[in-house]
Amino acid sequence: MDSLFIDGEWVTPADRERIPVLNPATEEVIGSIVDADASDAAAAFAAARKALPGWRALPVGERAAYLDALADAFRDRGEELARLATAEIGMPLAESRGVQAALPEQVLRSTAQAARDLAWEYQDASGSTVIREPVGVVLGITPWNFPVHQLVAKLAPALAAGCTIVLKPAELTPLNALFLADLCAAIGLPPGVVNLVTGRGSTTGETLVQSEAYDLVSFTGSLGIGRHIGEVAGRRIVRATLELGGKSPAVVMSDADLAAAVQTTVKNCFTNAGQKCNAPTRLIVPEARREEAMQIAAAAAASYRLGDPLDDDTTMGPLASEVQREKVLSYVAGARARGARVHGGGAAGFDRGYFVEPAIITDVAESDPVVQEEIFGPVLVLLGHHGEDDAIRLANDSPYGLSAEVWTADPAAARRLAEGIQAGQVRINGVRSPNPPIAPFGGYKASGLGRELGSFGLEEYLEVKAVLGSFEPVEED
Ligand code: NAP
Ligand code: MG
C-alpha cells in the first residue's frame, strides 16, 4: 500500500501527501495512497516508453498468453479481489464476485482471443499492404464504480495491441488497482508494460493528462472531466477514447409483460446502488399503465435490504462516498420540492455508512433535472408514453446515449425501437450481458467517443498503416 508501481518496481516516495481510503459502509480508514506528483508521472511514462519497443515486437500470441496468465490469476485470486473491491466501494459481495472478478477474467480472455483473431496484416484489392500497429504509450484514467472492470477494460486491449500503459485509478478505489499491479508483477509481465500511479484527479490526474508523453488517453468517468480531457488531447492531436455517463431509458410497450419489465428494470437500475453508467434510470411505460407500474416498482424498491455488503442477505450497499450520498439526496429532495411523487429516497437511518434508500419518482416534468441529469444513485424515474413514436421521442430526449432497454412481444417493434433509439447498446426483453463480453460498449451523443470490449475495443489502440507497392525485390531486366 501507499506505493506506486513503476517499471516493474514498487516505489514509495516518502515526501508525497498520503490520501486515506475509506470503507463507505463503515466510514473506517482501510488504507492510504500516495498523491503522486509530476516526477512520478514522468517516471511512469518513461518506463512505459522504454518498454514499448520490446513489448510491441513480441509475437501477438505471446502478448495474448500474458493476458491469459493474468486471467488465470484473476480466477485464482478473484475472491480476494472481490472482497477488496467491496471494502472500497460497498458493492454487495455477490455483485463484486461477478463484476470485479469474473467479468475482468472474461474480458482478459476474450481480448486475448480478439488479438489472435485480428488480421494484423493483409493485402487489399489494390495490392497495398495494410498493417495494424500499436498506437504507443497509453494513459488510462478510470472511475470508482466498477473499478477492477474499468481498469481491465483498458489494460487488456492496450496490452493485446502492443501498447504499454500508465494507469490512474479513482482516488476512492485505488486498493484493487494496487492488487491488480501485484498480479501483473506476479505473472512476470515485463517491467514498464503496466505502470500504476495513484492520486487525486485534480493533482495527479491533471498532471498526467497535461503531459506530452502519451500517444492515446482512454478515460472513463464523468462528462465534465471527459470533455476537459478530450480538449487537451485535441490540442495535441492525440486520440482520446471517452466512456462517459448515461441516462439510459427502458421502454416498455403495451404488449410486454409489465411486471417482468418493471421488476427487471428496477433490478438493473439498482445494481451497485445505481452507480452504474449504463443503468436504466428512465422507465418509460404506456401512460395508461403508469400507476400500475409505479405500484410494482415501489414494491420492488421496498424489498431491498440495505446493510453490510459482506452479508449474504444484503441486496444494496452504501453509496461510494459522502459526496455521492449528498448529491443523490439533494436530487431527490429537489424533485419532491417541485411536486414530484417520490417513493423512498431518504437517508437510511444507520449510524455509519453512506446509505440511501432506493427511490422511485413519477409525476415529474420531462425537463426536470432528475429526468435529464445523471444522478448515479438508486433513483429510478417513471415516465408515461403515448405509443411507439412517443416512446422513441422520450427515450431520445437526453444528452446521453449509452444504453437502452426495450420490452415488447413484437419482434418488428423491437427492431423499430432498437433502430430508433440513439444508444450504443440496446437490450431486448431483459437479455443479460453476453459471455464472452465482446459486444461493443460505448456511447452515442454525450456518452462518449469510441468503444470498449471485443474487437472494437482492440481497434481503439491500433494505428493503421498502408504500404503501397511491393515488398518483393525489384527485378532487373
Ligand atoms: P470523474 O470525477 O470524472 O473521475 C473519473 C476519473 O478521472 C478518476 O480517476 C478521477 O480521479 C479522474 N479525474 C478527475 N479530475 C481529473 C482531471 N482534471 N484530470 C485527470 N483526471 C481526473 O468520475 P467519477 O466521479 O469517478 O465517476 C462517476 C462518473 O463516471 C459518472 O458520471 C459515470 O457515469 C461515469 N462512468 C462512465 C462509465 C462508462 O463506461 N461510460 C463507466 C463508469 C462511470 P479522482 O477519483 O481522484 O477524482
Ligand atoms: Mg471525481
Side-chain angles (χ1 to χ4, degrees):
M1 227 180 281
D2 78 354
S3 296
L4 311 173
F5 186 68
I6 296 175
D7 206 13
E9 307 276 345
W10 289 103
V11 293
T12 311
D15 59 343
R16 314 277 187 276
E17 191 189 333
R18 269 26 180 194
I19 306 169
V21 181
L22 298 188
N23 178 326
T26 63
E27 301 181 35
E28 282 162 4
V29 175
I30 55 170
S32 72
I33 53 162
V34 173
D35 192 32
D37 71 7
S39 67
D40 303 319
F45 281 128
R49 185 65 62 189
K50 188 178 65 168
L52 183 63
W55 182 249
R56 63 175 283 172
L58 283 186
V60 62
E62 287 186 35
R63 293 199 302 268
Y66 278 109
L67 294 191
D68 283 332
L70 194 55
D72 291 344
F74 265 78
R75 181 197 57 209
D76 296 343
R77 305 199 54 193
E79 182 66 16
E80 286 168 80
L81 252 174
R83 285 182 178 271
L84 187 55
T86 285
E88 284 184 295
I89 179 78
M91 177 185 290
L93 184 57
E95 285 178 25
S96 269
R97 288 189 178 118
V99 178
Q100 315 290 357
L103 177 61
E105 181 192 339
Q106 293 160 4
V107 169
L108 286 159
R109 292 196 202 285
S110 57
T111 306
Q113 192 55 43
R116 290 188 201 98
D117 292 344
L118 185 82
W120 288 86
E121 179 172 331
Y122 62 91
Q123 281 207 337
D124 71 7
S126 74
S128 305
T129 303
V130 177
I131 301 175
R132 319 310 304 272
E133 295 183 344
V135 171
V137 172
V138 172
L139 170 59
I141 299 184
T142 53
W144 41 262
N145 59 323
F146 292 98
V148 185
H149 166 67
Q150 285 148 341
L151 289 164
V152 169
K154 302 192 185 314
L155 176 151
L159 268 51
C163 297
T164 57
I165 194 164
V166 174
L167 289 167
K168 205 296 276 178
E171 179 192 333
L172 293 179
T173 56
L175 303 183
N176 62 81
L178 296 168
F179 192 100
L180 171 63
D182 227 3
L183 295 185
C184 289
I187 65 159
L189 203 63
V193 171
V194 171
N195 306 276
L196 183 82
V197 171
T198 59
R200 294 196 174 89
S202 56
T203 54
T204 310
E206 186 65 24
T207 300
L208 288 162
V209 166
Q210 296 293 349
S211 163
E212 308 234 320
Y214 60 91
D215 304 304
L216 178 158
V217 54
S218 178
F219 170 80
T220 299
S222 62
L223 174 57
I225 304 294
R227 180 174 281 133
H228 167 62
I229 289 175
E231 283 171 1
V232 174
R235 278 202 299 276
R236 286 188 51 219
I237 320 292
V238 298
R239 200 182 295 175
T241 68
L242 306 171
E243 297 287 350
L244 309 177
K247 191 73 186 182
S248 297
V251 173
V252 184
M253 302 312 296
S254 55
D255 61 357
D257 177 342
L258 185 74
V262 172
Q263 283 161 356
T264 304
T265 301
V266 168
K267 183 168 176 288
N268 291 340
C269 183
F270 293 165
T271 307
N272 197 24
Q275 300 164 116
K276 184 168 91 162
C277 50
N278 60 343
T281 47
R282 293 181 298 140
L283 175 57
I284 304 171
V285 302
E287 175 59 25
R289 301 189 71 184
R290 186 161 61 91
E291 185 54 40
E292 193 186 337
M294 181 68 186
Q295 300 304 325
I296 298 167
S303 76
Y304 275 82
R305 270 198 297 263
L306 277 61
D308 178 359
L310 291 171
D311 186 335
D312 284 340
D313 293 332
T314 295
T315 50
M316 187 178 289
L319 296 183
S321 67
E322 187 169 9
V323 169
Q324 200 62 21
R325 176 182 61 185
E326 295 314 307
K327 180 179 155 198
V328 172
L329 291 174
S330 98
Y331 268 111
V332 174
R336 201 179 259 125
R338 292 185 292 273
R341 181 149 60 110
V342 182
H343 174 279
F350 301 156
D351 294 344
R352 292 259 148 169
Y354 310 123
F355 294 89
V356 174
E357 296 170 340
I360 313 288
I361 301 181
T362 196
D363 292 347
V364 66
E366 235 180 279
S367 58
D368 195 278
V370 298
V371 183
Q372 291 297 327
E373 296 173 18
E374 180 177 60
I375 298 173
F376 231 56
V379 181
L380 176 65
V381 177
L382 178 61
L383 304 166
H385 70 75
H386 301 276
E388 191 176 296
D389 290 346
D390 192 44
I392 292 173
R393 181 193 65 76
L394 273 169
N396 288 334
D397 181 16
S398 168
Y400 296 108
L402 187 57
S403 168
E405 313 201 352
V406 303
W407 292 81
T408 173
D410 175 3
R415 175 170 284 278
R416 287 193 301 273
L417 288 159
E419 289 178 354
I421 297 173
Q422 297 163 296
Q425 276 194 351
V426 180
R427 289 165 184 254
I428 296 175
N429 291 329
V431 68
R432 297 173 66 95
S433 293
N435 183 14
I438 56 174
F441 182 89
Y444 278 41
K445 302 196 282 184
S447 287
L449 293 172
R451 293 293 181 272
E452 292 196 314
L453 306 177
S455 59
F456 285 92
L458 185 58
E459 293 286 348
E460 303 288 346
Y461 297 86
L462 292 166
E463 273 288 9
V464 179
K465 179 176 283 173
V467 179
L468 314 189
S470 173
F471 285 123
E472 301 299 315
V474 178
E475 290 191 19
E476 315 236 347
D477 43 24

